[in-house]
Amino acid sequence: MTLQFDSVTATYAGQSVFRGISFAVERGDVLGLIGPNGAGKTTMLRMAAGLIRPAAGSVRSEGLVTYFGGEATMPGACRAKRWAALFGAVSREQRPLGRLSRGTRQLEGLCASLWLEDWTLGLFDEPWEGLDPDGARWLGRELERHRDRGASLVVSSHRLHDVSDICTAFGFLARGELHVMRAADLGAAGRRVRAADLIDVFDSLRRS
């Protein structure tokens, strides 16, 4: 077990975001979080990273954790080279992060988070946002590489075609509840999970 949620509840401004969520992520698992804006995907990732506490329940993780919350969370005044060095990574970019394009900032942040191979749990919030096709392909390969070396990952994304390619399980956030399904149980026998499969399952959960 690399990450464990036990009966976790999150609230915001006195209102429940999600409630009673329990799941585990094992070594080599890639869990894709799927849900509408405001469903609590970012909150769940921040709880997993230890940045915020649940209103109820417990969150446990093992080993070193790396977390990337998106380019908007990176300090604009910090030079890209300095930002990379904080993670033990290397960058040739000398400009401050605030002077880079959105896609370039995103790529710099991801490169820093994915550079080392000593972490056991990777948490990534909308990692494909702002990336061009080359960047998206690079990211997919990097996530697969870390998965194949035995790291565990939790990835939140609206880009279902990218998520479907790398995930071993999917967590659907609907109506304040999380429904986790293995990839092997979603696709038809002999083929990989498609984005259309994920949409069908999520729509079904929202209607139930």
Side-chain angles (χ1 to χ4, degrees):
M1 184 277 298
T2 307
L3 176 66
Q4 179 84 45
F5 272 53
D6 289 317
S7 301
V8 172
T9 293
T11 59
Y12 179 74
Q15 300 295 317
S16 175
V17 179
F18 52 75
R19 57 191 177 275
I21 285 179
S22 298
F23 69 93
V25 179
E26 305 292 341
R27 288 188 64 86
D29 276 349
V30 182
L31 176 65
L33 295 180
I34 297 170
N37 292 331
K41 301 185 298 299
T42 294
T43 297
M44 191 174 297
L45 287 170
R46 289 177 177 172
M47 283 184 177
L51 299 177
I52 56 176
R53 295 181 178 179
S58 64
V59 178
R60 293 177 294 158
S61 62
E62 294 180 352
L64 186 63
V65 178
T66 186
Y67 169 70
F68 179 67
E71 54 85 20
T73 66
M74 299 166 66
C78 182
R79 292 188 178 274
K81 190 172 184 178
R82 173 58 177 161
W83 180 257
L86 294 174
F87 291 82
V90 176
S91 172
R92 297 179 180 178
E93 180 58 67
Q94 298 285 351
R95 291 174 294 173
L97 292 167
R99 294 183 58 187
L100 305 179
S101 69
R102 180 190 180 197
T104 302
R105 282 197 307 273
Q106 184 84 347
L107 198 57
E108 287 287 330
L110 287 166
C111 286
S113 297
L114 292 164
W115 182 274
L116 296 180
E117 299 193 6
D118 57 350
W119 50 269
T120 56
L121 175 62
L123 308 168
F124 299 91
D125 197 357
E126 297 290 346
W128 282 279
E129 285 298 304
L131 298 185
D132 61 18
D134 288 337
R137 282 192 293 268
W138 168 85
L139 175 59
R141 291 194 300 267
E142 282 295 292
L143 295 177
E144 288 178 347
R145 180 175 67 82
H146 285 287
R147 176 198 66 192
D148 293 345
R149 71 171 175 82
S152 303
L153 300 99
V154 183
V155 181
S156 166
S157 182
H158 294 301
R159 291 178 46 156
L160 300 186
H161 58 288
D162 290 310
V163 172
S164 63
D165 284 341
I166 67 163
C167 290
T168 60
F170 302 91
F172 300 89
L173 268 169
R175 297 183 176 181
E177 298 179 351
L178 182 72
H179 305 266
V180 178
M181 299 182 183
R182 303 294 299 182
D185 298 326
L186 289 176
R191 72 162 172 82
R192 300 178 69 174
V193 176
R194 302 175 303 183
D197 298 321
L198 302 178
I199 292 172
D200 289 344
V201 171
F202 184 67
D203 287 345
S204 176
L205 291 172
R206 285 198 297 184
R207 292 193 297 266
S208 63

